[in-house]
Amino acid sequence: MDIHDLPELVLVEILCRVPCGKFIFQCKCVCKRWLTLISAPYFIDRFLRLQSHRKTPTVRTFISRNAVELFNRVSLSEVLTPMLKRLESFDHLETEPVVVGAYNDLILCCDSLFNQHNYIYDKKERKKKHNYYICNPYTMQWVALPPTPTRCYDIVRVGFICDSPYYEEDDPDGHVIQLNAKFRCKVVRILPPDGQFLFNHDEYCFNFNVEIFSFEIGKWSELVVSSPRGISYNYLDAMAFSYNGVLYWPGHDDGYFLVLGLDPFNDNSSTSTSSGSSNGGDIIDHKCRFVVFAMPVDDYFVVECVGVCGGLLRMCDFDTDTKTLFVWDLKRQDHDYMVKGAGELCLSKHNVYSFDQDMYPDDAQVVERLYFDPNNDDIFYLYVDEDVIMCNIRTRKWSKIVEKRKLNNFYFFPFVLPWWPTPVPSLPQHAHELAHGGETSS
């Protein structure tokens, strides 16, 4: 019997046992029948329930700004690089887009780290060139965001966050897992206080111009968001982390390690598109505001946030001379802090891990902290003179796992390969036309 002659329910049970969602999407290309079958809610529910019963592990990895996977666990670069080249060709960009954010398997990219103004007008092509895109490299789907209100010549502090793409409920037939077709996505830009001038943001500000793109309304909202303490824009990291529905930007101040938090889902973007200047005459959104957590640190500590580990926001410092790792965890978001907007970090105890002095030579030229392994909270990675060293903080053992690999930058975004690929959010029709300069793409 040919597989195409099988009854639909039998074919569902066969296809549901394909190892992961990225291969399932390839099966859609076999024929129209398979495409219709795999796209049906019943199939998605059956596939997700099987993964849940098997307790299939979720694969996590890291991706750099230039689309290079730190460890080739899911062959991400093999699908992401062609996707970015396709965007470059489609919109006639001068360079290949760079990664500026990620949430699960969705990637936010931009055509440049600088001049993040969302479009320029190309007289020859007679079309607007986009700047921000959200794509899923495994489904080869992407969407271009409409132009942002503000042109900026600096590396903008950008954050990208979504609701859960799944929801679970109980019905008479048992536990059901389905895709949340209305899950929300937000892109957040914190603009420099003076808007235009490059690398001149050392002054402390209490109000920041913020732009939030909401897919529900298909447009950017301009807000002036207040901070409970003065913050220097230059001391904020360009890379944001999402944790418990909040975006966090790590930063530094005199004697303090700071974490600036913003809940982009708690805004007035559906009813307000006010704008203002952080230097006066502000129209401040009092519903959407920053929270700031501060941790006093000694002068000899250079604390950095390394992302989310084991459901906790993790900070660390590595003493290159003594080969000692210092780790702090943000244990929870205290409700009073979220209401008041400020407070000291609610931290776990200060953990110290010392390693063998022979881990690398004392005359090493480059020693950079990388990240904790997203699949194992006990594993931490160091980059030493083009070698990658894996350290186990529980056993104190270490090993060299990669030799002579040159890294051009040390910004890596977490990438999660879920059981089922996250759909790229859709734009309302008016926003879709605006993003394409009055044109619609096929």
Side-chain angles (χ1 to χ4, degrees), residues 2-4 11 15 18 23-38:
D2 189 276
I3 190 171
H4 297 291
L11 186 57
L15 293 177
V18 172
F23 296 130
I24 282 290
F25 266 69
Q26 295 174 3
C27 292
K28 286 185 173 184
C29 301
V30 172
C31 62
K32 289 185 178 180
R33 183 193 181 199
W34 284 30
L35 172 62
T36 303
L37 187 69
I38 294 171

Side-chain angles (χ1 to χ4, degrees), residues 286-414:
H286 294 285
K287 187 178 180 183
C288 184
R289 62 176 181 170
F290 290 117
V291 293
V292 180
F293 301 98
M295 179 179 74
V297 293
D298 296 326
D299 292 339
Y300 56 85
F301 279 123
V302 183
V303 182
E304 290 186 358
C305 185
V306 290
V308 178
C309 294
L312 304 173
L313 198 65
R314 177 164 289 183
M315 286 72 69
C316 77
D317 179 38
F318 186 78
D319 189 316
T320 58
D321 294 329
T322 63
K323 280 94 168 174
T324 302
L325 180 68
F326 303 87
V327 179
W328 299 263
D329 287 330
L330 177 62
K331 293 196 294 186
R332 60 189 173 89
Q333 294 171 346
D334 189 286
H335 180 265
D336 290 338
Y337 290 170
M338 297 302 292
V339 172
K340 297 176 182 176
E344 288 194 357
L345 283 172
C346 182
L347 295 168
S348 66
K349 66 179 182 179
H350 177 190
N351 294 311
V352 181
Y353 306 97
S354 298
F355 290 93
D356 189 340
Q357 292 298 302
D358 295 330
M359 183 164 58
Y360 57 82
D362 293 334
D363 61 351
Q365 298 297 308
V366 178
V367 180
E368 291 284 346
R369 290 164 290 183
L370 293 178
Y371 296 93
F372 279 84
D373 192 303
N375 301 294
N376 187 339
D377 298 337
D378 292 333
I379 302 299
F380 182 76
Y381 296 102
L382 286 173
Y383 181 75
V384 181
D385 289 346
E386 299 189 0
D387 296 335
V388 177
I389 296 177
M390 180 178 69
C391 313
N392 189 308
I393 62 176
R394 183 175 54 84
T395 65
R396 306 295 200 274
K397 294 182 179 180
W398 61 272
S399 61
K400 188 182 297 184
I401 60 170
V402 178
E403 294 188 22
K404 302 305 176 186
R405 179 177 180 183
K406 186 174 181 59
L407 298 179
N408 295 321
N409 67 76
F410 299 98
Y411 277 96
F412 287 89
F413 299 90

Side-chain angles (χ1 to χ4, degrees), residues 93-212:
L93 304 178
E94 295 181 359
T95 60
E96 187 177 298
V98 295
V99 177
V100 295
Y103 192 84
N104 278 352
D105 52 339
L106 295 181
I107 289 177
L108 176 69
C109 54
C110 174
D111 64 0
S112 173
L113 284 178
F114 296 93
N115 292 327
Q116 294 183 23
H117 50 81
N118 210 272
Y119 73 91
I120 58 176
Y121 193 77
D122 188 325
K123 294 182 179 179
K124 182 178 180 180
E125 296 295 336
R126 298 288 180 183
K127 65 183 293 188
K128 293 177 180 177
K129 288 188 175 180
H130 307 110
N131 179 263
Y132 287 105
Y133 308 84
I134 293 175
C135 64
N136 189 317
Y138 285 107
T139 63
M140 295 300 288
Q141 296 174 323
W142 60 274
V143 61
L145 272 60
T148 59
T150 306
R151 179 169 182 162
C152 181
Y153 295 94
D154 203 345
I155 299 180
V156 178
R157 277 56 179 162
V158 179
F160 176 42
I161 192 169
C162 301
D163 281 339
S164 172
Y166 308 117
Y167 67 86
E168 303 181 24
E169 61 182 16
D170 293 315
D171 68 0
D173 296 327
H175 194 62
V176 177
I177 304 176
Q178 292 185 348
L179 287 178
N180 179 9
K182 296 183 179 180
F183 79 101
R184 299 174 297 171
C185 283
K186 303 275 188 175
V187 177
V188 178
R189 289 170 26 114
I190 306 177
L191 303 180
D194 47 21
Q196 299 291 324
F197 301 104
L198 187 63
F199 301 140
N200 185 27
H201 319 302
D202 288 331
E203 68 273 15
Y204 287 85
C205 296
F206 288 87
N207 298 319
F208 289 89
N209 290 324
V210 175
E211 296 172 346
I212 301 178

